[in-house]
Amino acid sequence: QVQLVESGGDRVQPGGSLRLSCAASGLSLSYYTIGWFRQSPGKWREGVATIINSDGKTYYRDSVKGRFTISRDSAMNMMYLQMNSLKSEDTGLYFCAVDITGRATGLESLEYDYWGQGTQVTVSS
């Protein structure tokens, strides 16, 4: 019943921008901690950005600070990741996720319960 669907992934040249979207159904994103994660072949899934529901704080991994922005549109039940100044190391499969229990305090993927299928971002010249 709960479903998260990402969109917006594409191939882009270094320095370019993309805006990823995540559409949620079966739950309201306004009530929960939400996050974006990514994974590339042979690497662990890593947290990119999150909004903690309890206090509204945002967290970003160091490598994307100043370039990426996570946001939420409660009325539309959507979450977004604006990615600017993209680098080749940003390449990966990007997932949106929701912590339904309220346990998440940051970028730890194991603390999130619902996941989308992912959308591919490829940064290459």
Side-chain angles (χ1 to χ4, degrees):
Q1 187 172 4
V2 175
Q3 191 170 8
L4 303 173
V5 181
E6 304 94 338
S7 62
D10 205 351
R11 177 182 290 272
V12 64
Q13 294 183 339
S17 297
L18 286 173
R19 182 181 184 239
L20 305 184
S21 299
C22 177
S25 60
L27 58 78
S28 175
L29 293 178
S30 65
Y31 299 148
Y32 304 105
T33 291
I34 58 173
W36 286 95
F37 298 79
R38 68 188 181 190
Q39 188 169 21
S40 58
K43 295 182 178 294
W44 297 101
R45 185 172 299 182
E46 62 185 21
V48 176
T50 186
I51 304 175
I52 306 300
N53 187 67
S54 60
D55 58 12
K57 290 184 177 179
T58 58
Y59 295 92
Y60 297 89
R61 71 179 304 105
D62 288 343
S63 62
V64 309
K65 288 180 179 177
R67 299 189 297 119
F68 290 12
T69 303
I70 184 172
S71 63
R72 169 173 52 200
D73 185 336
S74 295
M76 297 297 296
N77 209 27
M78 300 278 290
M79 57 186 292
Y80 306 95
L81 184 68
Q82 179 66 46
M83 305 184 294
N84 299 324
S85 301
L86 283 162
K87 306 174 181 179
S88 60
E89 52 262 45
D90 295 317
T91 294
L93 190 65
Y94 282 69
F95 302 87
C96 60
V98 177
D99 168 29
I100 200 73
T101 70
R103 78 173 77 92
T105 57
L107 298 170
E108 173 53 61
S109 63
L110 293 176
E111 295 179 328
Y112 293 76
D113 306 293
Y114 292 102
W115 297 81
Q117 296 274 38
T119 186
Q120 179 66 37
V121 173
T122 302
V123 185
S124 176
S125 59

